[in-house]
Amino acid sequence: LRGNPLGVSSRTMIRWVDTWKSEHVETWTLAREGMKALRERVNPTILRDWTLAHVGDAWVSDGHTIEVMLIDPRDGKPKKQEIVAWFDCASRMPVGASINLTENTEAIQIAFRNACLYTGYKPLCVYTDNGKAYKSRYFAGSASKTPDAIETELTGVFGRMGIETIYSQPYNAK
């Protein structure tokens, strides 16, 4: 190509590249934007039909940093806080939340308690991410099949309440 004419107009080449790009989205995205973009924008995801679920069947939770500076009660300095929220999957309604310095077990527990108090019931299952706080011994576990006291004590809060726990795939919550 060096110094030799292509024999086609630049517009024809652009059209060919656009066509090739639309037919080879995976290769184009990986080469131009990397693995993270490929995973987030191109790889298939599980589509859940929440219209089949009833209100109260499943709740989903996650924590995010709030882009607002709030006063840290420990040292009096402004810091960004974390909000942990629980949403009902069928109605898409936020049912409980809490704001804390970090996404920790306490913040998740308070938000879940607020959700239960607001709705007046507990969900059949919860869907959470793979964060350390969500997978801590406090929450992890499932309901024991036998009424053994030791087994009951070793199960997590969700297990003792008879709530099934589902964790998302690591780094791919969608």
Side-chain angles (χ1 to χ4, degrees):
L1 289 179
R2 292 185 182 140
N4 296 332
L6 294 175
V8 294
S9 69
S10 60
R11 185 66 201 136
T12 302
M13 288 298 291
I14 291 171
R15 244 189 337 270
W16 180 86
V17 169
D18 288 341
T19 303
W20 189 90
K21 182 170 65 169
S22 67
E23 293 172 357
H24 303 89
V25 175
E26 300 86 6
T27 307
W28 181 269
T29 305
L30 181 61
R32 301 287 296 186
E33 302 177 44
M35 185 58 79
K36 184 175 187 293
L38 178 70
R39 267 185 287 182
E40 289 178 356
R41 288 194 247 138
V42 178
N43 278 354
T45 60
I46 297 171
L47 297 177
R48 295 175 183 87
D49 187 5
W50 291 116
T51 60
L52 301 174
H54 299 288
V55 173
D57 282 354
W59 289 354
V60 64
S61 177
D62 199 4
H64 293 282
T65 303
I66 302 173
E67 295 299 324
V68 175
M69 302 296 267
L70 299 173
I71 302 296
D72 185 346
R74 295 176 299 187
D75 59 10
K77 295 181 182 175
K79 293 184 180 159
K80 289 184 180 178
Q81 309 280 318
E82 296 270 335
I83 186 167
V84 175
W86 287 91
F87 288 85
D88 182 79
C89 294
S91 67
R92 306 283 201 281
M93 179 177 167
V95 290
S98 71
I99 296 175
N100 205 339
L101 294 170
T102 60
E103 179 185 293
N104 57 21
T105 304
E106 178 188 17
I108 297 167
Q109 176 189 11
I110 291 169
F112 186 76
R113 180 179 181 276
N114 290 341
C116 290
L117 290 174
Y118 177 73
T119 59
Y121 58 85
K122 63 183 172 111
L124 299 176
C125 76
V126 293
Y127 183 73
T128 66
D129 66 3
N130 275 301
K132 265 182 13 182
Y134 286 102
K135 292 195 98 171
S136 68
R137 272 189 257 166
Y138 185 80
F139 291 116
S142 60
S144 176
K145 304 294 184 236
T146 61
D148 187 13
I150 294 174
E151 284 294 318
T152 303
E153 285 300 315
L154 292 177
T155 57
V157 168
F158 294 140
R160 280 185 254 160
M161 293 177 73
I163 300 171
E164 181 184 353
T165 307
I166 303 169
Y167 297 104
S168 64
Q169 291 181 348
Y171 303 103
N172 195 12
K174 60 184 177 166

